[in-house]
Amino acid sequence: MRDLRRSFVLSASAVTAIAALAAVVTVRPALALDPDFATVEAQENAANSKSGPRTVPGRAIPVPGTVSPQLQSTIAAPYRIPAWDADPKSAAEWKDLITKLADAGIAARLEAREKLGVTMEPTVIGGVKAFILTPKEIRPENRNRLLVHVHGGGYVYNPGEAGTGEGTLMAAYGGYKVISIDYRMPPDFPYPAAMDDAMAVWREAVKMQNPRNMAIFGTSTGGGMTLAMILRAKTEGLPLPAAIAPGTPWSDLTETGDTYKTNEWLDNVLVSYNGYLHRAALLYANGHDLKDPQLSPIYGDFSGFPPAILTSGTRDLFLSLTVLTHRKLRRAGVEAELQVFEGMSHAQYNFDPFAPETKEAFTEIAHFFAKHLAQ
Amino acid sequence: MRDLRRSFVLSASAVTAIAALAAVVTVRPALALDPDFATVEAQENAANSKSGPRTVPGRAIPVPGTVSPQLQSTIAAPYRIPAWDADPKSAAEWKDLITKLADAGIAARLEAREKLGVTMEPTVIGGVKAFILTPKEIRPENRNRLLVHVHGGGYVYNPGEAGTGEGTLMAAYGGYKVISIDYRMPPDFPYPAAMDDAMAVWREAVKMQNPRNMAIFGTSTGGGMTLAMILRAKTEGLPLPAAIAPGTPWSDLTETGDTYKTNEWLDNVLVSYNGYLHRAALLYANGHDLKDPQLSPIYGDFSGFPPAILTSGTRDLFLSLTVLTHRKLRRAGVEAELQVFEGMSHAQYNFDPFAPETKEAFTEIAHFFAKHLAQ
């Protein structure tokens, strides 16, 4: 169906017609009069003339002009190979890939910290490795506030310093001190190691600061873990934070949600569930039911959750997971806000630290925290 | 590329492998082991190996299992022909089509009013035709509140009673009294007739009730007009309502926004900009600049806008318009909330009056109004 890509070759009479139109109003004439459009139209009308699955044509989708040049670069970028479709055959192959990808990210993390004026200090909290990220200036109203960050990466990627990118952005754009948890991951440490580590840090963190002055945030796996932490804190009778920011949360480890199909091949980060993602899910779950609320928190009880802000993008493979989580929070009576960014694939508000949309996303989350955290 | 639609025929060894997997975890084996997947993967990896437009394969996209059976029916429904791709060649042909579609909707409007206990009274306000929609029971806190509804339909569809569907849903699920404006439309009355009528009603409505107790809402064209009304009320020094609900607003009459392309052919309501939509835009604009903020309010100044709640769906052709409008409102410092519904195409929260998602969407908007309107 590649031949259905729109051609912009126009007949002479069409050009005349366009010129007449263009004299009156600003409109994109090639689209209206493109001779190929009628072909696609007839074909799709026929294919979608009955109730059932939707048929869509193969096509090339342009980089949108409605975002910053920096975000355009991120959207235009090729698929992330081998990150998206990695298929390691052994623990050694997983480790090799994970290390390679993590090493490749270090320079960007350092550059972001330097340019944004954030310092990083490795530490151990509750027996778990972590990093303290401190902005050049902690805002006066944030002096007694503390954020806990849970990094993303499908429960396999981003060990160590590689996992600190989002924490750095929040420290910089929000003016908060951030603890970023370097939780254990597969292949050596499958479920529940990551959650055990996150909870161990949380148990200590609430002694370091009043939990009413605290928030937990994270993207993707970090968003799913943020939700699972609240579920587990409820069960264990631990204090809850005053707010959470689960960004495009991996709230369901099974392939559930419409955008797994509608945004498949469009999202240039995750591309498809059937890449590394479902392999990572199985590796992490290690035989546990993928729908256990500690692995897929969307199946948990959201009542009593703290106020939440969720972030996604229109091309995000997890857009459905994000909006399904948002709706479920709202139905549970939780104050929950949603922000969706134009053209972004999965987690891309974390990609370019200097894109205006990145700053906007974190400023919005910081604003939400400022509204809900005590001082 | 139809041959790339996934086949669920599996080899015997694949079935054995699946059985082994299924014993351990719940996973959808056909997707992981589908022999066709590797073909698509290789092809898309190659097509998306360089920076530039994104290439996606032609495919069949299933009806999601993550929504109610009623919404599943709406999502599965065939394209709306001729509504989406109508191409009337004369004013007479436009009128014929508009009347035919409007007549076809009357029975559903009546059924919704009867089942939901809403009464409808035709009236004239400020010289403009309108309908008063009254729920069986106006909630006590809403006794001195009044909502103004601006219907959708691309500035051409839904004259008269056909335009009252959304107003009925808000009256029923919100427990509010609603004025639904039956503004004049092309082909006889292009821009600015619709806006003149809407403003004439608003000018009178603020004498009927305290504007602090009032909200304006509408979907699609009605959402765009809601935004344009606030811009014009600001310019004319008229009182503003206490809140607005521009649902999936047609805030830009040009083909601007990523989901015009990413959700093209997927949205079974609008399908493409290059159907009736751009023809209706030109008919309405009647030679005016499509980017004039009175026609495309996203180009206007949103500062000082009342709190807003925006609604869209993951398959909505106007998802980008909705999120771009939301972001611009937020950047202008306006309190603005976003709700996006799983799997919905354009405006489908208005389609089945009895779907749980319909009730949820309007309950959420009503809740937002309750928070912001004085009593």
Side-chain angles (χ1 to χ4, degrees), chain A residues 310-329:
Chain A
L310 295 97
T311 307
S312 185
T314 59
R315 294 188 178 199
D316 188 354
L317 200 70
F318 286 8
L319 176 60
S320 283
L321 286 182
T322 306
V323 307
L324 287 167
T325 302
H326 179 238
R327 296 305 331 143
K328 185 164 177 178
L329 284 164

Side-chain angles (χ1 to χ4, degrees), chain A residues 112-114 116-122 131-137 167-168 171-172 176-178:
Chain A
R113 287 199 304 278
E114 285 182 352
L116 296 170
V118 172
T119 55
M120 184 181 80
E121 183 200 343
F131 297 91
I132 307 283
L133 298 159
T134 311
K136 200 179 297 175
E137 193 178 2
T168 296
Y176 289 96
K177 184 173 164 179
V178 175

Side-chain angles (χ1 to χ4, degrees), chain B residues 133 147-151 166-171 176-180 215-219 222-223 226 243-247 362 365 369:
Chain B
L133 298 158
L147 308 186
V148 172
H149 172 241
V150 197
H151 72 76
E166 184 179 33
T168 296
L169 296 171
M170 181 56 86
Y176 289 96
K177 183 172 166 180
V178 175
I179 296 172
S180 185
I216 303 177
F217 71 102
T219 286
T226 297
I244 56 173
F362 284 96
I365 296 169
F369 286 168

